[in-house]
Amino acid sequence: MKRNQFKTIQKYIFPAVLILLAACNTVKRVALPETVKMPEKFNTVAAAPEEALGWKSIFTQSELDTLISTALKENLDMKSGIQRVLIAGANLRLSKAALLPTLRASISGGLDQFGKYTMNGVGNYDTNFSENINADQKIPSPTPDYFTGFRSSWEIDVWGKLSKRKEAAYHRYLSSTKGLRWYQTQLTCQVASLYYELIALDKRLKILKENIKLQNKGLEVVEAQMTGGRATALAVSQFKAQRTATQGKQFEIRQAITRVENQLNLLLGRYPKEIHRDTSAINLPLPKQVYAGLPSAIILNRPDVQQAEEELKAAKADVSAARKAFLPTLTLDAYAGYNAFKLPLLFSPGSLAAGFLGGLTAPILNRASLKNANLVANATQLTAFYQYQQSLINGYQEVTMQLSALQNYKQAYDYKTTEVAELKNAVSTANDLYLAGYASYLEVIVAQGSVLNAEMEQVDLKQASYAALIGLYRSLGG
């Protein structure tokens, strides 16, 4: 008997196994390109990792710290990002659960009407005439089927396919946390940029008001001279036109202040309200020297680079899982409970039933879909690799650009400060010369206009310097 069973196995099982193994011939692995080597330094800037740029070295104003803290807590996009992290965590737990057997409580009922010319129909009809069964064992027609108990199914992770899917979910969870941290850095920089733009607008408005006072004094002098016959109505009109133009610019700046305040309130997740700020902050000096550190130590610590790296790792795990999908799947199914075709007999001892089934399956006709899924996984992996490479290059270029901007804007601001001081002296000199009759009113108007433009440009350069410093903080990863 055993010999016959072995022959049966040889005859049917072995060919089936060979077919399964033939169906499991996986596609070739796609090799990734090599990563472009990163330069050893940021142009000519000295490296000092222990003196890297920190939060407190930029955002020293208490009002700004309050705004940033509120934004990190109340910003609606931030709250959405937190939910995305929770979703990624739930997907990770789902992938872990796929490695474990499932156990379900089941209560079911059904009704079958078997045909007279079917095995079940003939077998049930013939069984009811047997003398070996009692009345409770007679099979009714149509035949009910009642079950209550437990069912279990377990896919054995023989080849590691499910483990690779879990690994991919794990790296996507890490990616979501890095993405949230990167958005926190972005949000911090956005709030700081708008804050310094706001106080720069306050400074421009103050400059306009001071120049209007200066122009009023000039107008009073010209009007007095016209009364005494030493000036013409044309000079008075020119001074009035200059003052009117300056007064009109105030309203443009006030509108810009309203716009920036609304943008800040939006980042803070609230309706428009006044933004409290220290308007003197625009006059504060920037750090005398900023160190960027070593490129490899800085760039690889950026949250966006780490996010791209985790996405690349997840894509690699997806490729491995897609390749392993060509291998046979071993599944174990089992059930235990009460099963009967008469409801009153369902919970009797004779209705206890249990079953077990193990199966090995491999794809044959659906290999085309698996091949395409593998192609998608490989293309996704290459896309993630290129995005990772791009994030490295972007990070390096951003740091280099912001370091250069800090140096250049500082030099430009120093020269502009000297220019403003000279132009203010020129205005005083022009007024004195005009009163003495050695200069025309046009020279006074030109001198006043020049100092106004220079002071505005000085504020622009200071705001650009803060923007570069904030940009450096962002490019260093926050």
Side-chain angles (χ1 to χ4, degrees), residues 81-89 169-183 303 306-308 310-311:
I82 293 174
Q83 297 305 311
R84 287 191 289 271
V85 173
L86 293 177
I87 292 172
Y170 171 71
H171 288 298
R172 287 197 170 89
Y173 170 73
L174 293 181
S175 172
S176 66
T177 60
K178 302 299 182 183
L180 181 62
R181 194 177 128 220
W182 179 239
Y183 181 74
Q306 293 177 342
Q307 180 183 15
E310 295 299 338
E311 288 292 339

Side-chain angles (χ1 to χ4, degrees), residues 18-139:
L18 292 176
I19 293 175
L20 290 177
L21 294 176
C24 300
N25 184 25
T26 59
V27 294
K28 295 182 179 180
R29 184 188 299 270
V30 177
L32 291 176
E34 292 186 3
T35 304
V36 179
K37 185 178 180 181
M38 190 182 302
E40 296 181 356
K41 61 181 180 179
F42 293 109
N43 294 342
T44 58
V45 179
E50 70 280 359
E51 299 184 53
L53 186 63
W55 167 276
K56 295 300 180 182
S57 64
I58 303 178
F59 310 117
T60 57
Q61 295 79 39
S62 59
E63 295 86 357
L64 178 54
D65 285 341
T66 301
L67 292 174
I68 292 174
S69 298
T70 303
L72 293 176
K73 181 180 179 182
E74 301 296 338
N75 181 264
L76 298 179
D77 286 332
M78 177 65 68
K79 292 182 178 181
S80 298
I82 293 174
Q83 297 305 311
R84 287 191 289 271
V85 173
L86 293 177
I87 292 172
N91 287 333
L92 174 58
R93 289 189 291 272
L94 286 174
S95 64
K96 290 181 179 179
L99 292 167
L100 303 174
T102 61
L103 180 63
R104 305 178 302 277
S106 176
I107 299 177
S108 62
L111 187 67
D112 293 309
Q113 176 63 58
F114 299 110
K116 293 182 178 180
Y117 305 107
T118 62
M119 287 191 296
N120 286 329
V122 173
N124 292 346
Y125 178 81
D126 189 58
T127 299
N128 286 339
F129 289 101
S130 174
E131 297 178 354
N132 297 324
I133 64 174
N134 56 37
D136 290 336
Q137 293 176 315
K138 289 187 177 296
I139 304 174

Side-chain angles (χ1 to χ4, degrees), residues 199-211:
I199 61 176
L201 289 170
D202 290 338
K203 180 66 174 179
R204 293 188 185 98
L205 190 59
K206 182 180 179 180
I207 291 172
L208 286 178
K209 291 178 179 179
E210 290 175 351
N211 276 267

Side-chain angles (χ1 to χ4, degrees), residues 393-408:
I393 297 174
N394 286 343
Y396 179 86
Q397 290 184 347
E398 285 177 7
V399 174
T400 301
M401 183 179 66
Q402 299 302 340
L403 287 171
S404 175
L406 271 177
Q407 294 176 344
N408 291 328

Side-chain angles (χ1 to χ4, degrees), residues 109 149 163 187 430:
S163 298
L187 180 60

Side-chain angles (χ1 to χ4, degrees), residues 297-347:
I298 293 298
I299 303 303
L300 295 179
N301 285 331
R302 280 172 52 123
D304 62 326
V305 173
Q306 293 177 342
Q307 180 183 15
E309 183 180 8
E310 295 299 338
E311 288 292 339
L312 177 58
K313 291 178 180 178
K316 288 180 178 179
D318 284 337
V319 169
S320 180
R323 296 178 69 248
K324 293 177 185 299
F326 289 88
L327 300 173
T329 299
L330 176 60
T331 305
L332 304 179
D333 294 297
Y335 72 91
Y338 293 96
N339 192 199
F341 48 68
K342 292 181 180 179
L343 190 58
L345 302 174
L346 180 61
F347 293 103

